[in-house]
Amino acid sequence: MVDKDGLVVLSDRPLNAETPAYLLDADVTPYEHMFVRMNGLVPQSALDADATGWTLTIDGEVDKPLELSIDDLKSRFENVTRALVVECGGNGRAYFNPGSSGNQWTMGAVGCPEWTGVRLRDVLAEAGVRNSAVYTGHYGNDVHLSGDTEKDVISRGVPIEKAMAEDGVIAWAMNGQEIPALHGFPLRLVIPGYPASVSQKYLTRITIRDREHDGAKMTGDSYRLPAYPVAPGTEVPEEDMVVMTEMPVKSLVTFPRTGTEVASGSPTEVRGHAWAGDGDVAAMHVSVDFGQTWQEAQLDPPPNRFAWQRWRANITLPQAGYYEVWARATDQKGISQPVTTPGWNPRGYGNNMQHRIALIAT
Ligand SMILES: Nc1nc2c(c(=O)[nH]1)N[C@H]1C(S)=C(S)[C@@H](COP(=O)(O)O)O[C@H]1N2
Ligand SMILES: [Mo]
């Protein structure tokens, strides 16, 4: 952790740390500002940066199971580099009431580094996905907190259609360098748009299932939402919980830092990023009067699909005093971020409420 800068540590075993919004201003999130979510312990191979003999197995509902070295991946498939948002499904959990167990992420379990690797779909196509394929199941070599090497720390998956979409990457580099130990050295999945729990770090195996995957943290209420709206605090029966898929539309104010003093009566730039689980964001608005009026922000197109999009607005605070900037992104379907927590759920997932910062006008 010593080489991360300004993150807030939520727990140290397993290691979980989030990033204050003002440290997420860069278009491409640097290593030192990328949040960390470990469900278990960083494997020794990653700590030693030792990828000797590393292989990725593709098996299950495929015609031709594969065992690929990292060199095989690099040489046999087209290499791609893209900025992709990685956001924990529990980002925003701290704001639900009643609260729930798990890391009390505020807004900072998200980042958008640049990933280099090969398309997940190209590798699966090479293995020949059978018609019986329904879901993927992902495995890594990190170590369960109990130390029991038979136990999987986390093994999640996605519907086969999502796996065969253009966007998912099997990556060996983050921001042009070997993936750092905390982020999945030497190989990880990055499947954008879904909760980042599907983006397996320390990736060793992808097995194609003929049913919804039932690996560690796929069942029960892990990364699941009630199939229907429930009152806060409801105990939802397990059979009524469904797997989370697309993440909701969201945005952050990354500049200025909350609490900053600005001059009244003259324009001040505010800016940040916006993203959505199923593609581009359509519009961005800001309010400096607690949501009574909204001003449209300038919104840049993403450098590639599933990268976050830069937005900026010039605001003018009429007189000295206390203000808040509220930020609201709207997706392609016309769905906007709610002002307060959306659908309460037992484990506090999918909170895309508007981010707000305070400004003091002088
Ligand atoms: N092998 C492995 N992969 C994993 C996890 C893990 O604990 N082990 N955590 C998942 C979760 S819940 C999240 S939010 C992201 C976090 O990615 P990061 O630590 O690189 O930010 O990794 C996912 N991939
Ligand atoms: Mo997560």
Side-chain angles (χ1 to χ4, degrees):
M1 271 308 287
V2 280
D3 54 354
K4 293 263 176 189
D5 166 33
L7 270 62
V8 177
V9 177
L10 302 184
S11 79
D12 61 3
R13 195 178 188 278
L15 181 58
N16 291 295
E18 71 168 329
T19 314
Y22 78 96
L23 292 179
L24 288 171
D25 192 43
D27 289 331
V28 173
T29 308
Y31 169 73
E32 60 270 24
H33 295 151
M34 183 63 185
F35 82 100
V36 181
R37 167 56 167 140
M38 294 298 304
N39 286 268
L41 304 173
V42 179
Q44 197 59 44
S45 49
L47 293 171
D48 295 343
D50 181 7
T52 315
W54 194 276
T55 56
L56 171 64
T57 301
I58 311 288
D59 61 8
E61 303 296 312
V62 294
D63 290 331
K64 189 175 68 165
L66 302 175
E67 195 171 313
L68 301 163
S69 68
I70 296 175
D71 281 341
D72 291 335
L73 287 169
K74 289 180 177 171
S75 60
R76 285 171 48 187
F77 304 90
E78 188 188 337
N79 293 196
V80 295
T81 294
R82 24 178 96 144
L84 298 171
V85 172
V86 171
E87 181 180 16
C88 184
N91 196 21
R93 174 178 293 132
Y95 302 102
F96 279 106
N97 187 17
S100 57
S101 63
N103 290 301
Q104 298 302 302
W105 305 111
T106 63
M107 294 275 175
V110 62
C112 185
E114 203 172 69
W115 304 96
T116 299
V118 295
R119 287 182 199 87
L120 171 59
R121 77 158 178 209
D122 290 353
V123 176
L124 297 184
E126 172 77 12
V129 174
R130 294 190 172 149
N131 288 335
S132 51
V134 171
Y135 231 85
T136 58
H138 314 152
Y139 295 87
N141 83 333
D142 43 343
V143 185
H144 195 272
L145 287 177
S146 64
D148 183 346
T149 49
E150 298 297 301
K151 281 192 180 160
D152 293 320
V153 172
I154 184 169
S155 173
R156 295 185 36 82
V158 296
I160 196 69
E161 300 73 37
K162 177 69 178 175
M164 295 307 283
E166 155 69 22
D167 316 290
V169 171
I170 300 171
W172 56 77
M174 181 177 122
N175 298 336
Q177 318 226 288
E178 284 185 335
I179 297 178
L182 294 175
H183 300 296
F185 177 92
L187 212 56
R188 84 173 291 173
L189 269 173
V190 185
I191 303 180
Y194 273 38
S197 50
V198 303
S199 293
Q200 191 83 28
K201 305 194 273 192
Y202 322 105
L203 181 69
T204 53
R205 177 172 168 230
I206 301 171
T207 197
I208 306 300
R209 305 291 313 267
D210 63 1
R211 65 199 68 183
E212 188 175 275
H213 185 49
D214 52 4
K217 309 215 172 185
M218 275 302 289
T219 55
D221 52 14
S222 293
Y223 304 101
R224 284 177 183 249
L225 300 171
Y228 44 82
V230 301
T234 304
E235 261 185 54
V236 185
E238 199 174 315
E239 62 271 22
D240 290 353
M241 298 291 289
V242 293
V243 179
M244 282 176 86
T245 56
E246 276 86 15
M247 293 284 281
V249 61
K250 207 157 171 179
S251 60
L252 278 179
V253 185
T254 58
F255 182 87
R257 181 179 182 168
T258 189
T260 298
E261 283 189 5
V262 303
S264 59
S266 54
T268 301
E269 180 174 279
V270 295
R271 61 174 186 259
H273 310 288
W275 63 98
D278 63 357
D280 295 358
V281 174
M284 186 72 212
H285 292 82
V286 293
S287 175
V288 294
D289 57 10
F290 305 93
Q292 297 174 92
T293 63
W294 292 88
Q295 153 186 353
E296 184 154 17
Q298 179 202 317
L299 178 67
D300 291 350
N304 54 255
R305 206 159 172 260
F306 287 112
W308 60 22
Q309 291 169 247
R310 169 66 70 187
W311 64 265
R312 348 176 155 257
N314 282 313
I315 55 160
T316 301
L317 305 179
Q319 62 184 97
Y322 175 85
Y323 293 84
E324 292 180 8
V325 179
W326 294 14
R328 185 186 79 196
T330 304
D331 72 12
Q332 306 263 329
K333 290 176 294 210
I335 298 173
S336 297
Q337 293 179 253
V339 68
T340 184
T341 47
W344 184 93
N345 61 91
R347 292 290 297 278
Y349 296 121
N351 178 8
N352 68 333
M353 65 193 274
Q354 293 161 18
H355 182 212
R356 310 167 182 184
I357 63 156
L359 289 182
I360 314 302
T362 55

